[in-house]
Amino acid sequence: MTNSHGTAHGDSWEGTVTDLSRGMLDGSNMYHFVEVRLSDGASLKLRIHRRLWKSLAVGDRLVKHPGSDPAKV
C-alpha cells in the first residue's frame, strides 16, 4: 500500500526519512505517512503500512524497487 503524490507502483527510488506523521483523514481510519528526501533533492510524501511506519525513525533509509512496496534498508 503506497499512495503518494507523484509515484507509481512501477517507480523506483531511494531516500532518507525526514518526517513521520499519521492522521484520521476520513474520521474513522488511521493513515500513516512518511516524508522522504530523495538523493536528487526532491521530496515525497507517501502513505505506507503501519508495520513499516512503526519501524522507522527520522534519518532511516528507504528503498522502493519497481513492483514492490518501500522497504527499510
Side-chain angles (χ1 to χ4, degrees):
M1 167 180 53
T2 304
N3 295 329
S4 68
H5 308 286
T7 64
H9 193 66
D11 288 349
S12 66
W13 47 261
E14 184 174 333
T16 304
V17 175
T18 58
D19 188 34
L20 297 164
S21 61
R22 62 186 180 165
M24 295 180 72
L25 304 179
D26 60 6
S28 63
N29 295 305
M30 182 66 72
Y31 295 98
H32 298 82
F33 299 96
V34 63
E35 189 166 336
V36 178
R37 170 86 46 202
L38 303 179
S39 57
D40 66 0
S43 182
L44 296 174
K45 185 172 183 178
L46 309 161
R47 191 174 121 201
I48 60 172
H49 287 285
R50 177 179 177 262
R51 179 177 283 166
L52 177 59
W53 186 86
K54 289 184 77 168
S55 73
L56 293 174
V58 172
D60 286 346
R61 305 271 305 152
L62 284 178
V63 174
K64 184 190 177 309
H65 297 288
S68 66
D69 289 337
K72 185 176 174 180
V73 177

